[in-house]
Amino acid sequence: MAVSMKEVDPVFQAAGQKDGLEIWRIEKLQVVPVPKESHGKFFTGDSYVILKTTALKNGSFRHDIHYWLGKNTSQDEAGTAAIKTVELDAALGGRAVQYREVQGNETEKFLSYFKPCIIPEEGGVASGFRHTEVNEREHQTRLFVCRGKHTVHVKEVPFARSSLNHDDIFILDTKSKIFQFNGSNSSIQERAKALEVVQYLKDTNHDGKCEVAAVEDGKLMADADAGEFWALFGGFAPLPRKPFSELNGKDSASTSKLLCVNKGQTAPIDSEILTRELLDSTKCYLLDCGSEIYAWMGRETTLEERKRAGSAAEELLREGNRSRSHIIRLMEGFETVIFRSKFDKWPKKADAVVSDESRGKVAALLKRQGFNFKSPAKAAPVKQEPQPQIDCTGNLQVWRVNGSEKTFLSFSEQCKFYSGDCYIFQYTYPGENGDECLIGTWFGKKSVQEERSAATSLADKMIESLKFQAVLVRVYEGKEPIEFFPIFQNLVIYKGGTSTGYKKFISEKGIEDDTYSESGVALFRVQGSGPENMQAIQVDTAASSLNSSYCYILHDGDTVFTWIGNLSSSMDQELAERQLDVIKPNLQSRLLKEGSEYDQFWKLLGVKSEYSSQKIVRDQESDPHLFACTFSKGVLKVREIFNFTQDDLMTEDIFILDCRSCVFVWVGQRVDTKIRAQALNIGEKFLELDILMENVSRETPLYVITEGSEPQYFTRFFTWDFAKSAMHGNSFERRLSIVKDGVKPRADPKRRPTTSAHTGRSSVPDKSQRSRSMSFSPDRVRVRGRSPAFNALAANFENPNARNLSTPPPVVRKQLPKSVSPDSSKPPPRTASIAAISASLERPKATLIPKSIKANPEANKPQTEASKPKPETNAKEINPTNDNPAATPTVQEDVKESQAEGEEGLLVYPYDRLRTSSTNPATDIDVTRRETYLSSTEFRERFGMTKEAFAKLPKWKQNRLKIALQLF
């Protein structure tokens, strides 16, 4: 970078090295830091330099520099601020984007730093112009006009009736009361945003103690507050129309013109189409877009040339009398999205890793020239906190789409997908404020469009039947979001398809059917983070499909190999062993480490060839961006909301939260029904637009979330208050109740808690009875359906070599050779175990709650009168420590009716067949309610209490007892 650093102000030497705001004021043409407690306080006679430093997730810093000019600032101060901005950018390595801000016409990004607004005070520092003193005085009545639907621009206007109009919102701040006058042509959202300014004035000027009144345009004297308001203006009179000059808030846009700056002079560049190739790294350019002028500075330009380019942009504004236009200066390599969008096919933006090297060069230059400049500190990488995954204790139902219909999948089949099929899933789980429901579609890579459309339509109907209180997600194979896999826990994805649509498609096209066959040759890549998040994905049977970072399962009929990549972890190897339970149960697998394969192994893969060793990287979550959306006649328009908060989400609008790895479409309760139905389409349009120019995939996961049903994986991007999202009324009414009452907002009794889609009951489980599965690592092996606190206890009952999909073994097993296990058919001793459970029940509170296994959806159907177990009488005192040594009764038949015991219509199985480690397990039972299939006599012997007494225990106590008896 050919930049002379002699003129860089030493006050900037430590700037931009931590997240946050730094502000300097121009005093006597010198740069003076503004103390943090005065941030947001501006004077009309001053000029300021503002630096916003943002720590990004990748560990780098993003810098935005603004220089703010008060309406009464001098030309000397304004010029100094502009020059110092260029110097600050040079000190930061030339990475910053620079904005010119003029009082009353600030950019939304600048205003977002000082929410809800800035209200400049009269006066300033004496620096070559008449200084206006700011005197401490009694409260003065002031009138402000507020404009803006998402970001509020506040301007003080004369306290006179002539200042009012029907189009804007006005705030009258008196000594004892604050009035908000809502023009009849203003929107609900504008009125709600203006109330944030009212709250600011109430807190700042009245210490939070004053009355607040809303006055509606046209109510005249019928309202007491309206009468008091108009009396302050000398009585009511018709309002004037808004001046035409004010209706046009910005200078009119024009065709973009590119000009080259040479020694401070500008020369137009003739070109019908703007391309990146027109910009030379050794020169500076101006792109005049009417409402904005961009000053682009090549990397090889000098500091003096950059200052001249800024001055040329200022001169261009003065010549055209365009006081409302903005000047945005940016360095080559750090162009904004909007600037790049002005050019035809701008090349993909490279990662800004050179910025740290640039800062190092800047530091070295400063040191050589005598400045005491510290070495630039790279931003500490933002810690990737374990993302709040979805709760795994819920209830899952899955359907496969066949043509235009859906076919329900049994419990044993719901975690087996085919790439040629489409699936619909419904998952209900305990949330923060009751049961939450997620309904999603999964499209295989080779699924047909007709069935994708059918799946979308069927899922929409399911959402509508739940009154839009469920979250909808659209998922493509290979692009699954992080919340998807924990729902299924153990997912296998096979090649081919079984649906009617897929079969018809390959038949018509004459394509060979490669659908998975147990007797054929197949290769599976095993991946995941733990026992509750693991997948086996069938890949091409070829050596090129291997990857040193994974483990693979290869089979040819009954011949099975487990291939261990040299870069795989012990957890990967454990998951591969577990996946054998699903793909090839009860078959011995030959363990092959990378580099020691048999010839037979390579023969099955065709021919030995090179393969990758790099871990497959999915789309990483980036810093989130929030956009407000308008959708009309199939056209989507978006507007970014900077430094967003929950209060920016208006119930009348649709917003999109873009995290790169997934996109959330948030729909307010007051959105028109026809627009609400287009929510998924809006999300797809957004992906097509690629607003951030990141080459985003159109298969990026799309969520549709209705206000009031926000899941935790959405609210984590905000400081969330569930009470706000549960309020009733429009945005203005909600905000007014908060400003007036100063208390927590009232919740709408008609909204939340949600109703379980399976039971039809409103369920708000006690938080103490929940268990969330958050994240997993090789050092934290988690067993599906159990809490770590009881793994050791459950291990006493378990055959370590007996594979069971529902309850995997609690400890990591050696893969080969397998040890011979004792006879597992004998009931294990339980005296010590039950005693341990009894002691734990006396503890005041359990901190870890065992998790339930996914239930057979059939078990959630309402029971008939004949199938309901009748309450037992003469229930014994609850005694979990009862040590009844009675042996298991001998059962002559595997299944019998228990009519004699009052359980008419309910099948009964012996205890040995209900245990999770049984060698002859009972089939077609609800695995979460194994105890209900015991006879009353055997139940009493095993649990030491009646079924009626057991049903009265808290859920977590029930689960502990069931774990001890291998019934969970």
Side-chain angles (χ1 to χ4, degrees), residues 348 445 452 474-480 617-620 658-663 682-703:
K348 183 180 179 181
K445 289 181 178 179
R452 292 183 181 184
R474 187 212 63 185
V475 179
Y476 282 89
E477 180 184 355
K479 292 287 186 178
E480 295 86 356
V617 179
R618 292 179 174 270
D619 291 337
Q620 298 298 306
D658 183 1
C659 309
R660 187 177 182 179
S661 61
C662 60
V663 170
I682 289 173
E684 291 174 340
K685 291 281 187 183
F686 178 82
L687 292 176
E688 291 177 14
L689 291 175
D690 192 14
I691 300 297
L692 298 177
M693 299 182 70
E694 296 178 335
N695 293 330
V696 64
S697 170
R698 294 190 182 183
E699 296 183 355
T700 299
L702 269 178
Y703 289 89

Side-chain angles (χ1 to χ4, degrees), residues 839-853:
S840 69
L841 296 181
E842 300 301 321
R843 296 173 186 170
K845 183 178 180 181
T847 56
L848 289 172
I849 314 300
K851 299 186 349 179
S852 63
I853 307 166

Side-chain angles (χ1 to χ4, degrees), residues 132 250 273 387 589 732 927 936:
T132 304
K250 293 195 174 192
I273 301 176
Q387 297 184 11
S589 174
F732 173 71
V927 294
S936 296

Side-chain angles (χ1 to χ4, degrees), residues 535-592:
Q535 305 88 45
I537 301 174
Q538 187 179 359
V539 295
D540 291 338
T541 310
S544 58
S545 297
L546 298 176
N547 188 311
S548 300
S549 296
Y550 296 91
C551 296
Y552 289 78
I553 297 172
L554 173 66
H555 76 70
D556 179 11
D558 292 341
T559 302
V560 184
F561 296 97
T562 301
W563 187 83
I564 308 298
N566 288 335
L567 300 180
S568 63
S569 65
S570 58
M571 172 59 72
D572 295 326
Q573 298 169 31
E574 169 62 15
L575 298 184
E577 175 71 7
R578 290 174 181 268
Q579 288 292 6
L580 287 171
D581 295 330
V582 183
I583 298 173
K584 283 294 180 181
N586 304 320
L587 286 181
Q588 192 77 2
S589 174
R590 282 183 273 182
L591 183 67
L592 299 177

